[in-house]
Amino acid sequence: MRIATWNVNSLRARLERVTTWLADAQPDVCCLQETKCDDEAFPVMAFSALGYECAFHGGNGRWNGVAILSRAGLEDERAGFSGALGADGDEARLLTARCGGILVSSLYVPNGRAVGSEHYAAKLAWLQRLRQELVSSCDAAQPLALCGDFNIAPEDRDVWDINQFAGATHVSAPERRELQSLLDWGLVDAVRRLRPDEDGPFSWWDYRAGAFHKGWGMRIDLVLVTRPLESRLQSAYVDREARKKGIKAVTQPSDHAPVVVDLVDLVD
DNA sequence: ATGGTAGCCCTGCTA
């Protein structure tokens, strides 16, 4: 079972790159973030042609938007936190579905903008709401994967130069504590678990100043799994090729690269 | 050269 997560920064602008990548990387489940796509405009046909079922939660279409593509089954989909649809503040940052025996969430944590701002407070509150959701509605003894753009670099080695981040979001202690509190519930950072001794690998690079080619990136796109999936972890990689412009490409790449995690298949 | 880029949409906002 191959699970991927990718912040595509507009699905409409990136559709050909996404379908090309799917055909090449062949994930069984692919979580997307920042689709910026209204539900009625979601390109279902482009994905069904590749064998994927789609779940999508598009909000207002201008910002945010999350989706799950699956060719391993797609059931019990629910948008937002439990309770009313849109209980994530109608911001379209959370979508959950059952795919091949795994409860998969595609999530897009608020950026936070600046430490101390109201947006930063909202980021912390959103993470606390997610933790509450796990405690009240989920079972850490069951197969579950939280996949998405967490907008948090878990450790100092998950950014290119920690000295550049003094006082900045993504590395501040309070948001890292919130991430740790998710892990304490019963989750493991899959890529870090499989690659304990290396820095990164980064999954995001700023569009500006040639950051990608200078290696100025961060590891903020994560796959967090419960223990039953930790025991099935096989390998993981970040597809940096998908972050490159490409010689013939008409459209720009996303500023994020896909994160891919392979699980050992269960034998019946 | 106090910068840079990308995507959305009303020329600014968000990342």
Side-chain angles (χ1 to χ4, degrees), chain A residues 111-128:
Chain A
N111 176 286
R113 302 192 201 178
V115 173
S117 69
E118 59 181 305
H119 302 281
Y120 179 74
K123 179 181 194 174
L124 297 180
W126 197 93
L127 290 162
Q128 286 160 11

Side-chain angles (χ1 to χ4, degrees), chain A residues 1 3 29 97-104 143-145 229 232 263:
Chain A
M1 165 82 83
I3 299 178
V29 177
R98 188 171 300 281
C99 307
I102 302 174
L103 197 61
V104 176
L144 178 151
L229 294 183
R232 292 172 56 191
L263 302 171

Side-chain angles (χ1 to χ4, degrees), chain A residues 61-120:
Chain A
R62 281 220 297 280
W63 294 300
N64 313 327
V66 286
I68 301 173
L69 315 177
S70 175
R71 60 179 192 191
L74 189 56
E75 307 173 283
D76 302 337
E77 71 178 82
R78 46 182 201 261
F81 294 111
S82 51
L85 184 78
D88 60 345
D90 280 329
E91 287 205 319
R93 295 181 179 276
L94 177 66
L95 179 65
T96 302
R98 188 171 300 281
C99 307
I102 302 174
L103 197 61
V104 176
S105 289
S106 178
L107 61 92
Y108 178 44
V109 177
N111 176 286
R113 302 192 201 178
V115 173
S117 69
E118 59 181 305
H119 302 281
Y120 179 74

Side-chain angles (χ1 to χ4, degrees), chain A residues 28-45:
Chain A
D28 297 297
V29 177
C30 187
C31 295
L32 303 177
Q33 300 86 35
E34 281 207 84
T35 57
K36 299 182 177 178
C37 185
D38 286 322
D39 288 347
E40 53 268 32
F42 196 88
V44 174
M45 295 300 286

